[in-house]
Amino acid sequence: MGQINVGVTGWGDHRILYEGISSPSKKLEAYAGHFPVVELDSSFYAVPPEKNITKWINETPASFQFVVKAYQGMTGHQRGENPFKTQEEMFKAFNDAIRPFKETGKLAMVLCQFPPWFDCQRKYVDYIKFVREQLREFDAALEFRHQSWYSEDYKERTLEYMKEDDWIHSICDEPQAGERSIPFVPVTTHDEKAFVRFHGRNTAGWNKPVKGEGWREVRYLYDYSEDELKELEEKVKSISQEVNKTYVVFNNNSGGHAAGNAKTFISDLGITYEGLAPRQMNLFDE
């Protein structure tokens, strides 16, 4: 079994990790005392400035790694005005920004999560190939949000393409809520790395929020049960047989459940991480 690195998305909103910590600027350092990897989601909303990335690198242990979410203009999510004049300028800005993560050994991968309206058709296949070329210097994960990529007609070709173009397949556990959700497909496509994301199983809240509620407060509102975690642990152990490193990220944090689920996951698997940041004991620790 290869190494399994477990973390969560972002480091700002996980209250159980930060007892006694009042300053937001101290949260990443505290987070790195619990987990060896984090998904950087702020990079989806804006390309991070150099000073931020330097700070994040310096605040984390040598072995700590970041899954960096691709900027929204790169994956077709852009709403409103794109601050970049050309695609070339946009990709260059992103690549230049995150290159220090790679140079310091702290880049797990870039995550390219494409929107639910990216269904399996030629123009989107071509665009995904274009994105891979722009990110060729980095390990990169590909995540779909439309079921058509895993249909009976296209599933094998989708996975074969990922292998051929050196994508890491983003294997997702999420609600099975129609065409804008994908099934759990535990197939690795990269020689060295696997990536698994747990979005929760809130079927009712996945596609459209209840009137008056924001999607962030609803879509990822889910607390995995002990039985569900054990089921997923077995699947991840099987996946980890195929590669040297498996990265697991819990994204079910609308109700603050991600960190607790991730802690349980690590404990159940009997994993002890070396090289975490030193931390103070708090009420969450046994």
Side-chain angles (χ1 to χ4, degrees), residues 155-211:
K155 177 182 174 181
E156 294 307 318
R157 290 158 69 181
T158 295
L159 295 168
E160 189 58 36
Y161 161 67
M162 288 193 206
K163 291 177 183 176
E164 290 173 356
D165 217 4
D166 203 31
W167 285 104
I168 299 163
H169 177 210
S170 182
I171 301 165
C172 296
D173 183 74
E174 62 188 44
Q176 298 306 290
E179 67 178 14
R180 292 190 168 201
S181 60
I182 62 169
F184 190 92
V185 180
V187 177
T188 61
T189 58
H190 190 270
D191 291 340
E192 297 291 325
K193 297 177 180 180
F195 187 42
V196 188
R197 292 179 90 214
F198 295 150
H199 296 299
R201 298 177 178 178
N202 183 0
T203 305
W206 185 252
N207 289 323
K208 290 184 179 179
V210 177
K211 189 174 182 180

Side-chain angles (χ1 to χ4, degrees), residues 3-9 31 35-39 67 109 194-198 232 236-237 239 245-251 262 265 269 273:
Q3 184 183 45
I4 300 173
N5 297 304
V6 180
V8 298
T9 53
Y31 174 97
F35 301 113
V37 64
V38 72
E39 184 178 303
V67 174
M109 66 194 72
F195 187 42
V196 188
R197 292 179 90 214
F198 295 150
L232 291 168
V236 167
K237 283 197 288 187
I239 290 165
K245 292 183 178 181
T246 299
Y247 296 88
V248 177
V249 170
F250 282 81
N251 189 37
F265 199 85
L269 289 176
Y273 293 117

